[in-house]
Amino acid sequence: MSKIDPRDRMIVALDLPSVTDAQAMIGKLGGSVTFYKIGMELVYAGGLDLVRQLSSNGKKVFLDLKLHDIPNTVEKATQRVADLGATFLTVHAFPQTMKAALKGKGSSSLQILGVTVMTSYDDSDLIEAGYAMGVRDLVAHRAQQAKIIGIDGLILSPEEVGSMRALVGSSLTLITPGIRPKGSEKGDQKRVMTPGEAISAGADYLVIGRPITSAGDPEAVANAVVDEISSVLG
Ligand code: C5P
């Protein structure tokens, strides 16, 4: 497994309704968190400036925008995201979209992550949407295409990480949400793993939101997650 600091492997999802709430959470977490995920909710509430602020304060940002549009639009949008200083950007794992995003990132340090199949989809949703294969096959198909196209990494559910690591090898960065430290509420996540289990299964990075942001002492939970990651990595 690549040499990434255990603390940098924990990405805290700032799924909060306003920039003020997000800034308060970042303040509470202090030095315990080095990597944040900013998604559509916060971006549409004015969170893009926060990407710049966090980047210039030495934090890393995963911008979860799940881009999908015609190649020219994806390429230009990716160029602008690279200018913001983000580390990761998500796009839907369609070949045209992935190729356009890779072109757009150019020589910047931005890494493009493919979302294979949304975890809210099951086989019947794919049939309804006109696909001729089930979730498992479509995830594998897209992961293989993503690797050939040269994408930097993939977002996967915890239960897909092990088989996808075997399929794509060590060249792709694998990131998983659905992380729940022992004893924490599952909320709406159905298939979860503990931080240690997900790292052992082959994940490079973990996305974790509510177990940290809804905790009475977010900093203590963040530090406990990092300790668990460190103990698995030895
Ligand atoms: O609060 P929680 O730990 O469940 O947050 C997980 C984060 O990962 C959320 O931002 C959620 O949108 C995101 N995510 C997910 N499952 C996916 C893709 C993204 O939970 N398949």
Side-chain angles (χ1 to χ4, degrees), residues 13-15 37 39 64 66 115 117-120 155-157 176-180 186 188-189 207-213:
L14 286 172
D15 295 325
K37 180 168 92 73
D64 191 10
K66 298 188 178 70
V115 178
V117 177
M118 302 297 297
T119 45
S120 55
I155 306 288
L156 299 165
S157 73
T176 183
I179 300 300
R180 291 293 177 267
K186 274 193 185 177
D188 50 5
Q189 296 282 10
V207 172
I208 176 163
R210 288 161 294 178
I212 291 176
T213 55

Short mmCIF file of all heavy atoms in Angstrom, two decimals, residues 13-15 37 39 64 66 115 117-120 155-157 176-180 186 188-189 207-213, ligand 1:
data_model
loop_
_atom_site.label_atom_id
_atom_site.label_comp_id
_atom_site.label_asym_id
_atom_site.label_seq_id
_atom_site.Cartn_x
_atom_site.Cartn_y
_atom_site.Cartn_z
N ALA A 13 -16.43 14.42 5.43
CA ALA A 13 -17.47 15.00 4.55
C ALA A 13 -18.15 16.16 5.27
O ALA A 13 -18.78 15.98 6.31
CB ALA A 13 -18.50 13.93 4.19
N LEU A 14 -18.00 17.36 4.70
CA LEU A 14 -18.64 18.55 5.27
C LEU A 14 -20.04 18.69 4.68
O LEU A 14 -20.31 19.58 3.87
CB LEU A 14 -17.81 19.80 4.95
CG LEU A 14 -16.50 19.98 5.72
CD1 LEU A 14 -15.71 21.16 5.14
CD2 LEU A 14 -16.75 20.19 7.22
N ASP A 15 -20.93 17.74 5.04
CA ASP A 15 -22.30 17.78 4.53
C ASP A 15 -23.12 18.68 5.46
O ASP A 15 -23.90 18.20 6.28
CB ASP A 15 -22.89 16.36 4.48
CG ASP A 15 -22.16 15.50 3.48
OD1 ASP A 15 -21.74 16.03 2.43
OD2 ASP A 15 -21.99 14.29 3.73
N LYS A 37 -14.12 16.73 2.39
CA LYS A 37 -14.93 16.57 1.18
C LYS A 37 -16.03 17.62 1.16
O LYS A 37 -16.76 17.77 2.15
CB LYS A 37 -15.57 15.18 1.12
CG LYS A 37 -16.41 14.97 -0.15
CD LYS A 37 -16.80 13.53 -0.35
CE LYS A 37 -18.13 13.16 0.26
NZ LYS A 37 -19.30 13.68 -0.47
N GLY A 39 -19.31 18.73 -1.02
CA GLY A 39 -20.22 18.21 -2.04
C GLY A 39 -21.15 19.29 -2.56
O GLY A 39 -21.00 20.48 -2.26
N ASP A 64 -16.65 16.95 -4.51
CA ASP A 64 -17.51 15.86 -4.97
C ASP A 64 -18.64 16.42 -5.82
O ASP A 64 -19.77 16.58 -5.35
CB ASP A 64 -18.06 15.13 -3.72
CG ASP A 64 -18.75 13.83 -4.07
OD1 ASP A 64 -18.64 13.39 -5.23
OD2 ASP A 64 -19.38 13.24 -3.17
N LYS A 66 -19.40 15.18 -9.04
CA LYS A 66 -19.94 14.14 -9.93
C LYS A 66 -20.29 14.72 -11.30
O LYS A 66 -21.45 14.66 -11.74
CB LYS A 66 -21.14 13.44 -9.29
CG LYS A 66 -20.79 12.72 -8.00
CD LYS A 66 -21.93 11.89 -7.48
CE LYS A 66 -21.58 11.14 -6.21
NZ LYS A 66 -21.41 11.99 -5.03
N VAL A 115 -16.96 7.71 -10.46
CA VAL A 115 -18.05 7.10 -9.70
C VAL A 115 -18.63 6.03 -10.63
O VAL A 115 -19.18 6.37 -11.68
CB VAL A 115 -19.13 8.14 -9.34
CG1 VAL A 115 -20.29 7.48 -8.58
CG2 VAL A 115 -18.54 9.27 -8.53
N VAL A 117 -21.04 3.11 -10.25
CA VAL A 117 -22.51 3.04 -10.21
C VAL A 117 -22.92 3.56 -8.84
O VAL A 117 -22.36 3.15 -7.82
CB VAL A 117 -23.00 1.57 -10.36
CG1 VAL A 117 -24.52 1.51 -10.25
CG2 VAL A 117 -22.54 0.97 -11.69
N MET A 118 -23.87 4.48 -8.82
CA MET A 118 -24.31 5.03 -7.53
C MET A 118 -24.78 3.89 -6.62
O MET A 118 -25.48 2.98 -7.08
CB MET A 118 -25.49 5.99 -7.74
CG MET A 118 -25.21 7.16 -8.68
SD MET A 118 -23.94 8.26 -8.09
CE MET A 118 -24.69 8.84 -6.60
N THR A 119 -24.40 3.96 -5.35
CA THR A 119 -24.77 2.85 -4.45
C THR A 119 -26.27 2.84 -4.13
O THR A 119 -26.76 1.88 -3.55
CB THR A 119 -23.97 2.91 -3.14
OG1 THR A 119 -23.98 4.25 -2.67
CG2 THR A 119 -22.57 2.43 -3.32
N SER A 120 -26.98 3.86 -4.53
CA SER A 120 -28.44 3.84 -4.33
C SER A 120 -29.13 2.99 -5.41
O SER A 120 -30.33 2.77 -5.34
CB SER A 120 -28.98 5.27 -4.34
OG SER A 120 -28.60 5.91 -5.54
N ILE A 155 -14.41 5.73 -6.69
CA ILE A 155 -15.19 5.73 -5.45
C ILE A 155 -15.98 4.43 -5.43
O ILE A 155 -16.68 4.13 -6.41
CB ILE A 155 -16.23 6.88 -5.43
CG1 ILE A 155 -15.58 8.21 -5.69
CG2 ILE A 155 -17.00 6.90 -4.12
CD1 ILE A 155 -14.76 8.68 -4.54
N LEU A 156 -15.88 3.69 -4.35
CA LEU A 156 -16.54 2.39 -4.28
C LEU A 156 -17.19 2.21 -2.92
O LEU A 156 -16.74 2.77 -1.93
CB LEU A 156 -15.48 1.28 -4.44
CG LEU A 156 -14.71 1.27 -5.76
CD1 LEU A 156 -13.48 0.40 -5.62
CD2 LEU A 156 -15.59 0.80 -6.90
N SER A 157 -18.23 1.36 -2.89
CA SER A 157 -18.81 1.03 -1.59
C SER A 157 -17.84 0.09 -0.87
O SER A 157 -17.03 -0.58 -1.53
CB SER A 157 -20.17 0.35 -1.78
OG SER A 157 -19.99 -0.95 -2.26
N THR A 176 -13.47 4.89 -0.23
CA THR A 176 -14.79 4.38 0.14
C THR A 176 -15.49 5.22 1.21
O THR A 176 -14.89 5.57 2.22
CB THR A 176 -14.72 2.90 0.59
OG1 THR A 176 -16.04 2.47 0.86
CG2 THR A 176 -13.86 2.67 1.81
N PRO A 177 -16.77 5.55 0.95
CA PRO A 177 -17.63 6.09 2.03
C PRO A 177 -18.26 4.89 2.74
O PRO A 177 -17.80 3.75 2.59
CB PRO A 177 -18.67 6.90 1.27
CG PRO A 177 -18.75 6.29 -0.09
CD PRO A 177 -17.47 5.51 -0.34
N GLY A 178 -19.31 5.11 3.52
CA GLY A 178 -19.97 4.01 4.23
C GLY A 178 -19.11 3.51 5.38
O GLY A 178 -19.09 2.32 5.69
N ILE A 179 -18.40 4.42 6.02
CA ILE A 179 -17.50 4.04 7.12
C ILE A 179 -18.18 4.36 8.46
O ILE A 179 -18.68 5.46 8.67
CB ILE A 179 -16.17 4.84 7.02
CG1 ILE A 179 -15.48 4.53 5.69
CG2 ILE A 179 -15.26 4.55 8.22
CD1 ILE A 179 -15.13 3.09 5.46
N ARG A 180 -18.18 3.38 9.33
CA ARG A 180 -18.77 3.57 10.66
C ARG A 180 -17.85 2.96 11.71
O ARG A 180 -17.68 1.73 11.75
CB ARG A 180 -20.16 2.87 10.74
CG ARG A 180 -21.22 3.54 9.89
CD ARG A 180 -21.56 4.92 10.43
NE ARG A 180 -22.53 5.65 9.63
CZ ARG A 180 -22.23 6.52 8.66
NH1 ARG A 180 -20.97 6.77 8.35
NH2 ARG A 180 -23.19 7.15 8.02
N LYS A 186 -25.58 3.80 12.18
CA LYS A 186 -25.44 3.57 10.73
C LYS A 186 -26.12 4.68 9.92
O LYS A 186 -25.76 4.94 8.79
CB LYS A 186 -26.11 2.25 10.35
CG LYS A 186 -25.22 1.04 10.50
CD LYS A 186 -25.91 -0.10 9.78
CE LYS A 186 -25.20 -1.41 9.95
NZ LYS A 186 -25.94 -2.51 9.30
N ASP A 188 -28.46 6.26 7.35
CA ASP A 188 -29.05 5.68 6.14
C ASP A 188 -28.06 4.78 5.39
O ASP A 188 -28.36 4.29 4.30
CB ASP A 188 -29.57 6.79 5.21
CG ASP A 188 -28.54 7.88 4.98
OD1 ASP A 188 -27.38 7.73 5.45
OD2 ASP A 188 -28.87 8.88 4.33
N GLN A 189 -26.86 4.57 5.90
CA GLN A 189 -25.89 3.68 5.24
C GLN A 189 -26.26 2.24 5.59
O GLN A 189 -26.44 1.91 6.75
CB GLN A 189 -24.45 3.98 5.72
CG GLN A 189 -23.95 5.36 5.39
CD GLN A 189 -23.50 5.50 3.94
OE1 GLN A 189 -23.72 4.62 3.10
NE2 GLN A 189 -22.87 6.62 3.64
N VAL A 207 -14.00 8.06 3.35
CA VAL A 207 -14.82 9.27 3.51
C VAL A 207 -15.75 9.02 4.68
O VAL A 207 -16.47 8.02 4.71
CB VAL A 207 -15.66 9.55 2.24
CG1 VAL A 207 -16.64 10.69 2.51
CG2 VAL A 207 -14.75 9.90 1.07
N ILE A 208 -15.71 9.90 5.64
CA ILE A 208 -16.54 9.71 6.84
C ILE A 208 -17.16 11.05 7.23
O ILE A 208 -16.45 12.06 7.31
CB ILE A 208 -15.70 9.04 7.96
CG1 ILE A 208 -16.48 8.92 9.25
CG2 ILE A 208 -14.37 9.71 8.20
CD1 ILE A 208 -15.86 7.93 10.22
N GLY A 209 -18.48 11.03 7.39
CA GLY A 209 -19.18 12.28 7.68
C GLY A 209 -19.76 12.30 9.08
O GLY A 209 -19.10 12.65 10.06
N ARG A 210 -21.04 11.89 9.17
CA ARG A 210 -21.80 12.06 10.42
C ARG A 210 -21.17 11.46 11.67
O ARG A 210 -21.31 12.06 12.75
CB ARG A 210 -23.24 11.57 10.20
CG ARG A 210 -24.02 12.53 9.30
CD ARG A 210 -25.23 11.87 8.70
NE ARG A 210 -24.86 10.81 7.78
CZ ARG A 210 -25.73 10.04 7.14
NH1 ARG A 210 -27.02 10.21 7.33
NH2 ARG A 210 -25.33 9.12 6.30
N PRO A 211 -20.50 10.29 11.59
CA PRO A 211 -19.91 9.78 12.84
C PRO A 211 -18.95 10.80 13.48
O PRO A 211 -18.77 10.81 14.69
CB PRO A 211 -19.15 8.52 12.38
CG PRO A 211 -19.91 8.07 11.18
CD PRO A 211 -20.34 9.34 10.48
N ILE A 212 -18.37 11.68 12.64
CA ILE A 212 -17.49 12.73 13.17
C ILE A 212 -18.25 14.04 13.37
O ILE A 212 -18.25 14.61 14.46
CB ILE A 212 -16.26 12.94 12.24
CG1 ILE A 212 -15.36 11.70 12.30
CG2 ILE A 212 -15.49 14.21 12.62
CD1 ILE A 212 -14.18 11.72 11.36
N THR A 213 -18.96 14.48 12.32
CA THR A 213 -19.56 15.82 12.39
C THR A 213 -20.76 15.90 13.34
O THR A 213 -21.11 16.98 13.80
CB THR A 213 -19.98 16.33 10.99
OG1 THR A 213 -20.85 15.37 10.40
CG2 THR A 213 -18.77 16.50 10.08
O1 C5P B 1 -22.27 10.81 6.97
P1 C5P B 1 -21.68 9.71 6.14
O2 C5P B 1 -20.41 9.12 6.74
O3 C5P B 1 -22.68 8.64 5.78
O4 C5P B 1 -21.23 10.46 4.81
C1 C5P B 1 -20.73 9.78 3.70
C2 C5P B 1 -20.43 10.74 2.58
O5 C5P B 1 -20.07 9.98 1.43
C3 C5P B 1 -21.61 11.61 2.16
O6 C5P B 1 -21.07 12.86 1.70
C4 C5P B 1 -22.21 10.85 1.02
O7 C5P B 1 -22.88 11.68 0.08
C5 C5P B 1 -20.98 10.24 0.36
N1 C5P B 1 -21.24 9.05 -0.42
C6 C5P B 1 -21.83 7.91 0.10
N2 C5P B 1 -22.05 6.82 -0.70
C7 C5P B 1 -21.69 6.85 -1.97
C8 C5P B 1 -21.07 7.98 -2.51
C9 C5P B 1 -20.85 9.08 -1.69
O8 C5P B 1 -22.15 7.86 1.27
N3 C5P B 1 -21.86 5.80 -2.72
#
